[in-house]
Amino acid sequence: MLTIESGPDKGAIWHFGDPVKEQRALAEGKAWADLSHLEIVAIKGVDRLRWLHDLTTQHLEAFSGGWSSGLILDHLGHIEHQFLIFDALDSSETSWLIVDVDRAAPLIDYLKKMQFSLRVEVRDASTEKSLLRVPGLTDDLGGPFQLVNHGEIPNFEGAMQVGIWALEAERVAAQRPRIGLETDHKSIPNELNLLNKSVHLNKGCYRGQETVAKVHNLGQPPRKLVLLHLDGSDVDLPPIGADVERDGVKVGFIGTVARHHELGNIALALVKRSVDSDAQLTVGGIAASIN
């Protein structure tokens, strides 16, 4: 059992001794994971969904409850915050936003500045609730998920507990981007295949919407998210942020790198739109090709 010491999953278990077996159990829907290291922001009040609808990229005004995802952009459409959203529409009148390690504080700071006179209260609930990835075939968000009281672990009889290695390998293969890994200060949702997912295209105005709509309606974004296959003969994997090169010229950077139980060494990369799908690429001297 190996604990992660830094990064967005600091404090989580990397694997439990057999990452290949863990990945197979996850693919079969027979695995669960403790994600209690992730931070949670609680938004309580009768105006919460209307308020979040106006602030985020997601359509929440008539939300029917359950799980979703969203972003908060800056005025130029660059991604500032990424989160899962859960709201049971119950008597607690609370929406829960789940974010990576060290990202709750800046999100709370921004939300509190935007409260105005609406009936909402914002707090850090990381010591109140925890996120679990529960058994079941993987959905579009990377779940199924369950929010539980902090420290509670249900009995998932017959399911294997897996670590972050398995979850990240699956995420990379599914090309689900993660803030700070597959993004930089210039990233917009259009580059990351997030339209009609974390970004709802049929809703009212929100900060950064003009950029999203303009790029969607009038052209293509300057970069694109791709899945790379890396030469498996190299023992070492390139680090996050390593340059992607074509003929010795930088054309992008890689985000998460993973060893997948079926696909081998893979990585997500953000590259120039002009890079062809059959281009011969290198990452840190390792040969790479676009899937």
Side-chain angles (χ1 to χ4, degrees):
M1 188 168 67
L2 181 65
T3 302
I4 299 173
E5 297 183 354
S6 63
D9 289 308
K10 181 180 178 180
I13 302 300
W14 184 224
H15 64 80
F16 291 88
D18 192 340
V20 170
K21 189 175 181 179
E22 291 174 30
Q23 288 185 55
R24 288 173 177 161
L26 189 64
E28 293 169 0
K30 300 176 181 178
W32 70 278
D34 181 358
L35 300 176
S36 58
H37 65 287
L38 298 179
E39 298 178 345
I40 299 177
V41 177
I43 302 172
K44 182 179 176 63
V46 295
D47 293 331
R48 67 193 185 283
L49 289 175
R50 178 165 63 91
W51 184 57
L52 288 172
H53 176 88
D54 292 339
L55 291 179
T56 76
T57 59
Q58 192 55 268
H59 198 298
L60 297 169
E61 203 165 34
F63 189 50
S64 58
W67 291 91
S68 187
S69 63
L71 308 170
I72 291 176
L73 312 179
D74 70 10
H75 67 289
L76 295 176
H78 303 139
I79 298 171
E80 287 195 337
H81 302 283
Q82 179 189 37
F83 38 80
L84 290 171
I85 306 167
F86 177 71
D87 197 309
L89 301 182
D90 57 13
S91 59
S92 70
E93 295 186 341
T94 303
S95 295
W96 311 88
L97 308 185
I98 295 90
V99 298
D100 285 343
V101 171
D102 294 331
R103 292 193 177 270
L107 176 57
I108 290 171
D109 182 62
Y110 170 75
L111 291 174
K112 286 187 172 181
K113 291 177 181 177
M114 303 302 292
Q115 279 185 253
F116 305 118
S117 60
L118 292 175
R119 294 166 292 178
V120 293
E121 298 175 3
V122 181
R123 70 180 188 276
D124 189 330
S126 302
T127 59
E128 301 173 33
K129 297 288 185 179
S130 294
L131 182 69
L132 301 177
R133 201 295 191 181
V134 299
L137 296 177
T138 304
D139 59 28
D140 292 338
L141 298 176
F145 298 112
Q146 183 177 346
L147 201 64
V148 298
N149 291 330
H150 190 70
E152 288 186 3
I153 301 291
N155 180 17
F156 299 119
E157 187 174 353
M160 171 182 285
Q161 185 175 6
V162 303
I164 298 300
W165 179 327
L167 295 173
E168 285 293 88
E170 182 185 68
R171 180 181 67 82
V172 172
Q175 299 186 50
R176 294 193 305 271
R178 193 172 180 184
I179 190 170
L181 299 177
E182 284 75 52
T183 68
D184 59 14
H185 67 285
K186 299 184 296 182
S187 296
I188 61 175
N190 311 63
E191 299 175 322
L192 299 168
N193 302 325
L194 293 174
L195 304 189
N196 288 320
K197 296 176 182 177
S198 295
V199 179
H200 200 292
L201 290 176
N202 297 315
K203 60 166 286 185
C205 184
Y206 55 88
R207 190 174 67 168
Q209 184 191 27
E210 182 178 356
T211 296
V212 173
K214 183 176 181 180
V215 174
H216 176 65
N217 293 323
L218 299 180
Q220 297 289 343
R223 301 180 297 181
K224 59 184 178 181
L225 185 73
V226 297
L227 177 66
L228 296 182
H229 283 271
L230 306 177
D231 182 359
S233 62
D234 200 300
V235 176
D236 296 323
L237 295 177
I240 292 172
D243 291 347
V244 177
E245 297 183 338
R246 178 182 58 188
D247 298 328
V249 178
K250 180 180 177 180
V251 293
F253 68 90
I254 63 166
T256 309
V257 184
R259 296 189 193 274
H260 192 274
H261 70 292
E262 291 182 338
L263 301 177
N265 296 343
I266 56 176
L268 289 176
L270 199 59
V271 300
K272 292 181 179 179
R273 171 66 56 179
S274 60
V275 175
D276 296 328
S277 59
D278 60 352
Q280 297 301 306
L281 306 171
T282 58
V283 183
I286 299 173
S289 59
I290 297 176
N291 180 47

